[in-house]
Amino acid sequence: MTASSTRRPTAATSRTAAVGAIAVAGALLLTGCGDQTKDKDKGSGESQSASKAPLADKLPQQIRDKGVIKVGSDIAYAPVEFKDDAGKTVGIDPDIAAALGKQLGVTFEFQNGTFDTLIGGLAAKRYDIAMSAMTDTKDRQEGVDADTGKKVGAGVDFVDYFTAGVSLYTNKGDDQGIKTWDDLCGKTMAVQRNTFSHDLAKDQAAKCKKDGKGTLKIEDFGTNPEAETRMRSKGADVVSADFPIAAYSVKNAGGGKYFEIVGDQVEAGPYGIAVAKDNTRLRDALKAAVQAIIDNGEYQKIVEKWGVADGAVTEAKINGGS
C-alpha cells in the first residue's frame, strides 16, 4: 500500500527500554551487501529427514524431491538477517526458517540479493520464496507500483509471521530537533529504497510540500548500512528503518555510540514470507509450518532470543497486510 500520511504510533514502550531489549549476542557492526545472488548460505538450520517431518506431505513434490527451499533475502538487515563474523547468515529470519525446516523436512537456503530485486527474483523463479523483513502490503500482493498506482507485476501472496513498526534515528547527540515525522520538513533523510520506510518518507515529503513547511529531501540506497553511512558522514540528518533494525543499530553500531532513536514507532504492519501467486501449495505449507512453531513454542524462543518479543504474532495469516 501507499501508507497513510497520518502517522499512527504503535503500542507504547519507552524508547530506552525498547532499545535495551534488542541486546543480542555480540556487538556486531552492520556491513553492506551487494546484489550477490550467488552468495548462498543455509543459515542456522540443517536439512531434516522428510520422513520424520510432520508437515512434509504438504509441500509441492518438486520441493520435497530437492529437499531445499531457495530463499531470496537482503542479508544486511540486522537483526532480521545478516552475516556474523564468520560469514554465516544469522538472525531472526534464518532462525525461523530453520524451525520451519524441521516441520517441513527441507533446508531453507538463503541467497543474497538487494531488497528491490527480490520480488522480481520470485517471478523469474530464481527463488522459491522471499524472506527479508518484507512488509505485507496490498500493493505488493497485487503487483502495483506504490508511486504510480500502476500494475507492474503479478503480485505475490504473503504468509505473515511478525509485526514491526517504523522508527527514525539520528547521529547520537544530534537529533536535529526531530520528535515526529512532521519535524522532517526541511531535513534530509537517508533510507533503503523500495522499503516501507521509503514509502512513508515519500508520503511525508508530499505532506511537507502541501503544508508549505519546507522540503524533505530523500536519498535512497541499496542497503540500510549505506543509508547509515551517509548519515554518519553528515550527508543526511536522519535514517528511517523498521524498529528492530533501528534498535539493533542503536544498540550495537560503534558500541552504542553512533546513533539514537527519536520519536515513537509508527505504522506497525506484518512481515510476510512472499510466495508467487501460482504456488499456493507452498504458501499453504508455509502457513501450516509457521502455525506449528507458534503452537510448539519454538517461535517464542526465537523472538525472545533476539529481543523482539513485542512483535510476536499468535496466528499465521495469509495476506493480512493492508
Side-chain angles (χ1 to χ4, degrees), residues 208-237:
C208 289
K209 182 177 180 180
K210 179 182 177 182
D211 294 344
K213 293 185 177 180
T215 299
L216 168 56
K217 182 181 178 182
I218 302 168
E219 296 189 3
D220 59 272
F221 297 88
T223 68
N224 197 66
E226 290 176 292
E228 292 180 346
T229 298
R230 180 64 169 163
M231 183 170 68
R232 281 276 297 152
S233 67
K234 306 293 186 180
D237 302 308

Side-chain angles (χ1 to χ4, degrees), residues 81 132 143 194 210 213 270 298 312 321:
E81 49 261 317
S132 191
N194 288 351
K210 179 182 177 182
K213 293 185 177 180
E298 280 194 88

Side-chain angles (χ1 to χ4, degrees), residues 31-36 39 71-78 80-83 89-90 93-94 110-118 127 130-134 192-193 195 221-226 245:
T31 56
C33 73
D35 187 10
Q36 301 166 352
D39 179 13
V71 185
S73 188
D74 181 355
I75 308 174
Y77 215 49
V80 184
E81 49 261 317
F82 63 106
K83 298 285 188 180
T89 299
V90 296
D93 280 356
F110 279 72
Q111 301 185 357
N112 200 5
T114 52
F115 186 82
D116 56 357
T117 66
L118 297 182
Y127 317 121
M131 191 175 186
S132 191
M134 187 175 290
Q192 184 174 3
R193 72 177 62 97
T195 59
F221 297 88
T223 68
N224 197 66
E226 290 176 292
I245 288 78

Side-chain angles (χ1 to χ4, degrees), residues 243-313:
F243 173 71
I245 288 78
Y248 185 89
S249 289
V250 166
K251 180 68 180 178
N252 293 291
K257 297 178 181 178
Y258 285 176
F259 306 127
E260 63 179 280
I261 286 180
V262 294
D264 296 318
Q265 292 184 67
V266 299
E267 301 286 353
Y271 282 176
I273 303 170
V275 187
K277 285 283 188 185
D278 61 358
N279 207 346
T280 55
R281 185 164 183 179
L282 176 57
R283 179 201 67 192
D284 293 346
L286 290 167
K287 178 179 181 291
V290 171
Q291 191 61 54
I293 67 171
I294 291 171
D295 293 343
N296 71 15
E298 280 194 88
Y299 174 87
Q300 189 65 27
K301 290 178 182 177
I302 292 167
V303 295
E304 288 178 357
K305 167 187 172 181
W306 290 101
V308 294
D310 285 351
V313 298

Side-chain angles (χ1 to χ4, degrees), residues 6-84:
T6 301
R7 306 290 164 226
R8 300 192 305 272
T10 63
T13 50
S14 75
R15 292 199 303 276
T16 302
V19 172
I22 307 293
V24 298
L28 299 171
L29 293 179
L30 304 182
T31 56
C33 73
D35 187 10
Q36 301 166 352
T37 53
K38 293 182 181 179
D39 179 13
K40 300 178 182 180
D41 196 308
K42 294 182 181 179
S44 52
E46 296 180 356
S47 180
Q48 304 294 318
S49 170
S51 63
K52 298 179 181 178
L55 300 177
D57 61 351
K58 291 185 176 292
L59 285 170
Q61 189 62 47
Q62 182 180 13
I63 288 180
R64 291 186 67 184
D65 291 343
K66 290 189 302 181
V68 171
I69 291 177
K70 292 185 290 184
V71 185
S73 188
D74 181 355
I75 308 174
Y77 215 49
V80 184
E81 49 261 317
F82 63 106
K83 298 285 188 180
D84 66 11

Side-chain angles (χ1 to χ4, degrees), residues 1-2 139 144-150 199 202:
M1 73 176 176
T2 299
D139 282 345
V144 171
D145 184 281
D147 291 332
T148 66
K150 293 181 179 179
D199 290 343
K202 287 182 282 190

